[in-house]
Amino acid sequence: YPKSAKNLSDPAKQHRIYPYLLKNITAQHANHIWGTDITYIRLQKGFAYLVALIDWFSRYVINWQLSESLDMSFCTQNLERALKDAAPDIHNSDQGSHFTSHHYTDILMKKNIRISMDGRGRCMDNIFTERLWRTVKYENVYIKSYQNFPEAKSGLTDYFNFYNTQRPHQSLGNRTPGVVYHSKTHAQCSLKIQSTNTI
């Protein structure tokens, strides 16, 4: 399991930091809590950067995006695409500059979404996203050893479709994230949420 010295959560001193809202709180339904984070994808030459939004209740990956750089826009684009079909009560992230930027938080505030941020150095505050990264890397990235960006994008498209619709989770009673997410959202508000994994 390759270790990395890369820190993708560097804060920006001029950005507002929001408090962590989720201590002792368990997600009660789909779209109650979404978590997000950025991780790097090692390529044969260089890196790509992956951001995803995951529903804490169902472990369903709402939307993800791969970028060749750490430009701010790939995170805001990922959020905007996810919000086309649904919105969480609470959005949780780390204190990295991508998620504390006004461009990002303004999108959340316009939707009246409560903003929660992990404590500094507390990766366990966003444990479901951390587990997602471990799963993606062990089950796909390290095995595939992608040569370049297009190959990684294609491979991850296939993998996230598998993860959402075919991979059962023991914590979900051996159901898939897609089954749990869609059944709960239909029951609550008759929404037809479509996966938007293709970037």
Side-chain angles (χ1 to χ4, degrees), residues 37-39 50-52 129-137:
D37 195 12
I38 303 169
T39 193
L50 175 64
V51 66
T129 315
E130 294 294 333
R131 288 174 180 170
L132 173 66
W133 292 155
R134 183 178 178 89
T135 298
V136 170
K137 291 185 177 183

Side-chain angles (χ1 to χ4, degrees), residues 148-159:
N148 51 48
F149 184 85
E151 187 178 293
K153 184 176 176 181
S154 176
L156 287 168
T157 297
D158 291 341
Y159 181 77

Side-chain angles (χ1 to χ4, degrees), residues 38-49:
I38 303 169
T39 193
Y40 78 98
I41 303 297
R42 188 189 300 275
L43 307 175
Q44 288 298 307
K45 292 185 178 180
F47 297 91
Y49 302 93

Side-chain angles (χ1 to χ4, degrees), residues 46-63:
F47 297 91
Y49 302 93
L50 175 64
V51 66
L53 281 156
I54 184 172
D55 176 64
W56 279 22
F57 181 80
S58 62
R59 315 298 197 269
Y60 185 76
V61 177
I62 307 293
N63 208 75

